[in-house]
Amino acid sequence: MKFEQYPFEKLTELLKDITPNENYELSALTIGEPKFETPQFIQDELKNTTSLLQKYPASAGLPELKEAMLSFVKNRFNVELEMSEIIPTFGTREVLFNFPQFALFDKKNPVIAFTNPFYQIYEGAAIASRAEVIHIDLLKENNFKAELSDEELKRCDLVILNYPNNPTSAEMTKEELGLWVKKALEFDFILVNDECYSEIYFDENNKPVSLLEASIEVGNSSFKNVLVMNSISKRSSAPGLRSGFIAGDKNILEEYMQYRTYVGCASPVPLQKAAAVAWNETSHVDEFRKIYKRNFELAYEILGVKAPQATFYIWLEVEDELEFTRNLYREKNIKVLPGSFLGRNGIGKGYVRIALVENEKKTEEVLKRLKDFIDG
């Protein structure tokens, strides 16, 4: 089993011979990890429940955690799920990696399609599943929206979408996602949307939609062949809690739950307790959104970059993403991620991904540094 190098490993190699300008403090805009303290009420719940470390955590998750997640889905997307339609997971990285292996195990010649550029776990899951990959190329010409021909879709066993999208920040409408649901039913493949950035949005009147909403909209209220994944990491600035879920088709989830009892990735009880209070609370998320919104206002003022509907990424078009990255690090001590490290077959070439995950003061300083570099 041979996996590709992770993008951050490639970045380390790209920059290894460069001495950055010591007149500036290092600014790493590479990883999608919020740089804000996890809210105190979440930390307190974790501290207050450490005695529960004496208990083995159940693979199915605490009922109160599932209830909190169901409440989140109801309040955010107006979708009422049953207990059998959701499974708490240890973040979403593990489920994105092992669910395809579960789903494709019985397929003789499995085929998986996913958006390109992509979160590298999708590719890792395909490799571990011995699956053929069809890349769903996201280009400026198609507004970074997922498209595949019927001929390609007929071959698919599993399709992974990612909207709001990492790294392009693109969105898809309920109607557009609904067309994908119809195709999943027509050609009988499993359709997953990775919705981890659904809560980093900037317009209350134009929130990202869920694939679950789209499924109901086209009459698939049982979510046949439809699943979503979401996480608390970005929403609550709590990636260390490792709290996510997979939700949708209960028939698929029933079998997947049995598989998960063997995987052994149940979240420790104190983490589940802390996650439950986080999923149930929304005001702290509003505060984080205000910070990200201000960061994009600064990006527009300084770089002329229009704010996306969601996520905290700038997908910046440049002439040569590798030289841009190397020279930016050398001259301004800023690290960004070349888009070609996130894609295959030339997709991502000519772009860099910039993560605006710092506070306003740091963001303003580094964006001015970046502007100075671009203006040369």
Side-chain angles (χ1 to χ4, degrees), residues 246-302:
I246 180 170
D249 188 325
K250 64 183 177 183
N251 294 316
I252 295 173
L253 292 182
E254 181 180 9
E255 295 183 18
Y256 179 55
M257 186 63 246
Q258 185 176 22
Y259 166 88
R260 287 185 65 82
T261 62
Y262 288 86
V263 174
C265 54
S267 177
V269 176
L271 292 183
Q272 293 191 53
K273 290 279 190 177
V277 300
W279 283 110
N280 269 326
E281 214 279 335
T282 59
S283 63
H284 72 288
V285 191
D286 294 335
E287 293 306 310
F288 287 134
R289 276 195 287 266
K290 290 176 184 177
I291 297 172
Y292 294 126
K293 183 176 182 178
R294 178 56 186 154
N295 285 350
F296 275 107
E297 289 172 349
L298 288 169
Y300 181 74
E301 293 167 11
I302 297 168

Side-chain angles (χ1 to χ4, degrees), residues 114-133:
F114 50 79
T115 45
N116 178 36
F118 51 85
Y119 178 34
Q120 194 149 327
I121 292 300
Y122 307 163
E123 182 180 75
I127 293 168
S129 305
R130 296 186 174 90
E132 178 187 345
V133 173

Side-chain angles (χ1 to χ4, degrees), residues 34-42 199-202 204 234-237 278 281-297 312 356-360:
K35 302 300 182 185
F36 312 110
E37 186 172 332
T38 301
Q40 192 61 48
F41 76 95
I42 300 174
E199 302 315 290
I200 310 300
Y201 59 83
F202 314 112
E204 284 292 325
K234 323 297 182 184
R235 174 188 183 269
S236 298
S237 191
E281 214 279 335
T282 59
S283 63
H284 72 288
V285 191
D286 294 335
E287 293 306 310
F288 287 134
R289 276 195 287 266
K290 290 176 184 177
I291 297 172
Y292 294 126
K293 183 176 182 178
R294 178 56 186 154
N295 285 350
F296 275 107
E297 289 172 349
F312 41 54
L356 298 186
V357 292
E358 295 278 9
N359 62 38
E360 178 180 342

Side-chain angles (χ1 to χ4, degrees), residues 59-74 77 79-89 95 212 223 226-231 243-254 256-257 260 279:
S59 297
L62 291 175
E64 66 199 80
L65 176 58
K66 294 185 74 170
E67 290 285 1
M69 291 172 167
L70 292 173
S71 178
F72 162 75
V73 174
K74 166 63 177 173
F77 302 111
V79 173
E80 291 197 49
L81 296 174
E82 302 171 7
M83 277 284 197
S84 58
E85 293 174 323
I86 195 165
I87 298 174
T89 59
V95 66
L212 297 176
F223 310 113
V226 170
L227 296 163
V228 302
M229 300 174 189
N230 212 324
S231 164
S243 179
F245 64 74
I246 180 170
D249 188 325
K250 64 183 177 183
N251 294 316
I252 295 173
L253 292 182
E254 181 180 9
Y256 179 55
M257 186 63 246
R260 287 185 65 82
W279 283 110

Side-chain angles (χ1 to χ4, degrees), residues 3 31 50 53 55 108-109 135 147 174 179 182 188-189 195 197 213 231 233 235 239 246 249 268 310 330 351 366 373:
F3 295 104
I31 189 167
T50 55
L53 287 170
K55 296 178 179 293
K108 187 175 181 181
N109 297 297
H135 289 110
E147 301 173 337
K174 189 187 297 184
L179 294 176
K182 290 179 179 179
D188 196 27
F189 60 82
E195 300 182 355
Y197 290 90
E213 295 176 87
S231 164
S233 298
R235 174 188 183 269
I246 180 170
D249 188 325
R330 179 184 294 110
Y351 290 88
V366 73
F373 171 78

